[in-house]
Every structure is written in structure tokens, then in C-alpha cells.
Amino acid sequence: MKRGNQVYEGKAKIIYATDDDRHCIMYFKDDATAFDGAKKGTIVEKGILNNRISTTLFTLLAEKGIPTHLVEVLSDREVLVKKVDIIPVEVVVRNIVAGSLSKRMGRPEGESLAFPIVEYYYKDDSLHDPMINRDHVLAFSLATGEQIDRAREMALKINDILRQYFLDRGILLVDFKLEFGLFGGEVLLADEICPDTCRLWDAESLEKMDKDRFRRDLGKVEEAYLEVCRRVCGTDGEL
Ligand code: TMP
Ligand code: ASP
């Protein structure tokens, strides 16, 4: 598949056109940002590790019946994906209190939730991705009721699958963010699932193994991503 013009550059990935207008190429960068780009840095080989981790998880989810944008892996930093229209709603699923939920509710990080919480955020960095609810999604035509309900249903199923998959590898899936896209009328899982977009804690030590190490200057960022890759994919990042 030939890489065409760059069509979009995000904070962690670049999207390129291909010679087939139904597909595009997603390229994983090493750039890391936090707090809507206010904090910038590089995590060495992050692009390779995130591509490997995300591809492994998307393949697992597809096998379990979740439709995704993934078509094929092209290289250590590139995947061929279906060209979706991204729904501008970030869907967050939480199993354990952490991050913004801890601040919002005044509860300590680490408290288990009685059931998974699903939250929606309007995907707009200039507004700092504000939290919204289903009514905002419908009133501002960000998605139809059917589409957002399908995304929620998929998010909860993804949580069931991934929570067990990570636990089998000694990792607690604390929370994570998903993005969905429309392709020929169907809602597909898009974007990526990796330590940039999840909170992952070692199940025994509760040590953080995700982007919070970068956000909070905890050190050993590369080591944490590499360890997630080892446990999730059984490799150090080679394809
Ligand atoms: P939060 O606790 O900061 O709201 O984050 C919830 C989850 O969403 C966490 O796993 C990190 C992920 N996330 C992103 O992937 N991108 C973002 O821009 C933010 C703020 C969080
Ligand atoms: N991805 C967001 C940013 O770059 C925030 C985050 O992951 O904390 O700024």
C-alpha cells in the first residue's frame, strides 16, 4: 500500500492518505503530550511499542466480535486502517477511581467502583475536552442516539474483554479512553488502545505502567511501556 499525502497530524499520530480512498495509514510517533499539549516530550520508541500493543488489543477485540478500523499492520510504526469519520466524543470507561474522577468526586485514587462508569468528553483541545452527557451528544449532533448507544455498548464489552486480558497478565485496567468512527454507516472502534490512553497498574505492586509516569514526572516511562508490551504481546516491540 503506497503512502500518500499527510492528511492530519495529531499529538501522537499522523494520518496519511493511500491510493485507495476507503483506507488510510496511521503512523505512530514518539511524541508525548499531556494537559492538552501544554506539556511536551518524547518517549523513546513509544510509537513502535504503542503500535504493537494497540494492534494486539484491536486484533483480540476483533476476534471477540468488536468491529474495528484495523485492516493490516504495515510496519513497526504504521497500520492500514479504514478511513472513518471520527465521532468527536471521547468515551472513557472507569473501573477504579483515578485521575480526573478522583479530583471531581474528592475520592482517593485506587477506590474500586461498584460497576464500570462510562463518561463522554467533547473532543476539542481548545475547550480542554469538556465532559458532556448523552443529551449534549444529541443536542449538538455529535452523533445520533443509535450511534452513541452502540459506542457505549461496545465500550462496556471492550472493558469486559480487556479487563480480563490485562488481569491474566498481572495488570489492573483502571480506566481507558476510546474513540469511535463511522464507516459505511457502521460504528467502528478507531484510534488506539495503549499506555497513552489507559491507566494500567501492576496488579501486585500497584505501580503505574502508563502515561501517568510522563504526566506526573514519575520516571522510568520507557521501561513501563516496554513492560506493558512484553506482558500484552509477549515481545519487546518487534513485529
Ligand atoms: P482522566 O482521569 O484524566 O479523565 O483520564 C481518563 C482516561 O482517559 C485515562 O486512562 C487517560 C485517558 N485519557 C486520554 O486518553 N486522553 C486524554 O486527553 C485524557 C485527558 C485522558
Ligand atoms: N492527550 C492529552 C494531551 O495531549 C492529554 C493526556 O493524555 O493527558 O494533551
Side-chain angles (χ1 to χ4, degrees):
M1 182 60 65
K2 227 171 125 288
R3 197 161 99 175
N5 292 337
Q6 180 177 317
V7 288
Y8 176 78
E9 178 160 11
K11 295 192 291 285
K13 296 186 294 301
I14 302 173
I15 304 291
Y16 296 95
T18 67
D19 42 22
D20 175 349
D21 70 1
R22 293 165 310 154
H23 292 147
C24 49
I25 291 172
M26 192 164 81
Y27 176 94
F28 286 77
K29 304 192 284 185
D30 286 347
D31 298 352
T33 64
F35 316 116
D36 304 316
K39 179 180 170 114
K40 289 192 174 68
T42 301
I43 301 176
V44 178
E45 307 241 297
K46 172 170 88 82
I48 296 174
L49 296 169
N50 279 358
N51 187 18
R52 185 77 180 116
I53 295 165
S54 192
T55 298
T56 299
L57 298 176
F58 271 58
T59 304
L60 167 79
L61 292 169
E63 284 166 9
K64 304 267 187 196
I66 301 286
T68 86
H69 71 165
L70 180 64
V71 178
E72 78 178 280
V73 181
L74 299 175
S75 72
D76 59 2
R77 289 177 184 272
E78 292 170 312
V79 281
L80 186 67
V81 296
K82 291 177 179 163
K83 189 174 165 188
V84 299
D85 290 320
I86 288 285
I87 296 173
V89 177
E90 299 192 347
V91 178
V92 168
V93 183
R94 301 179 185 272
N95 298 304
I96 297 172
V97 174
S100 68
L101 179 64
S102 164
K103 290 208 179 78
R104 191 178 314 116
M105 299 302 291
R107 301 292 269 257
E109 289 201 318
E111 194 175 295
S112 285
L113 294 164
F115 55 86
I117 294 178
V118 180
E119 296 170 348
Y120 304 127
Y121 293 85
Y122 178 37
K123 191 174 152 60
D124 186 326
D125 272 352
S126 68
L127 299 173
H128 307 292
D129 295 346
M131 192 180 182
I132 55 174
N133 67 26
R134 188 177 184 279
D135 280 352
H136 298 90
V137 173
L138 304 193
F140 292 96
S141 302
L142 305 180
T144 65
E146 205 180 323
Q147 288 161 355
I148 197 67
D149 293 346
R150 175 75 180 131
R152 179 188 158 89
E153 175 196 31
M154 283 165 70
L156 286 168
K157 185 167 172 200
I158 290 165
N159 184 46
D160 286 344
I161 298 165
L162 293 188
R163 196 145 66 140
Q164 189 60 52
Y165 188 84
F166 278 113
L167 194 58
D168 290 344
R169 285 152 186 83
I171 296 174
L172 296 179
L173 178 58
V174 173
D175 56 33
F176 58 99
K177 183 265 299 178
L178 301 172
E179 294 189 28
F180 294 90
L182 300 175
F183 185 80
E186 195 186 5
V187 179
L188 302 184
L189 176 66
D191 195 50
E192 61 181 325
I193 304 178
C194 64
D196 278 7
T197 63
C198 301
R199 283 198 175 90
L200 304 168
W201 294 355
D202 181 87
E204 285 195 358
S205 67
L206 301 183
E207 198 166 336
K208 297 184 195 325
M209 305 175 71
D210 56 65
K211 195 173 160 189
D212 271 348
R213 301 204 72 83
F214 169 79
R215 293 188 190 100
R216 303 180 188 189
D217 296 319
L218 300 176
K220 297 207 167 133
V221 184
E222 282 86 0
E223 288 87 340
Y225 278 62
L226 191 58
E227 182 58 22
V228 171
C229 189
R230 283 201 188 108
R231 294 200 204 175
V232 167
C233 317
T235 72
D236 287 359
E238 317 89 49
L239 291 165

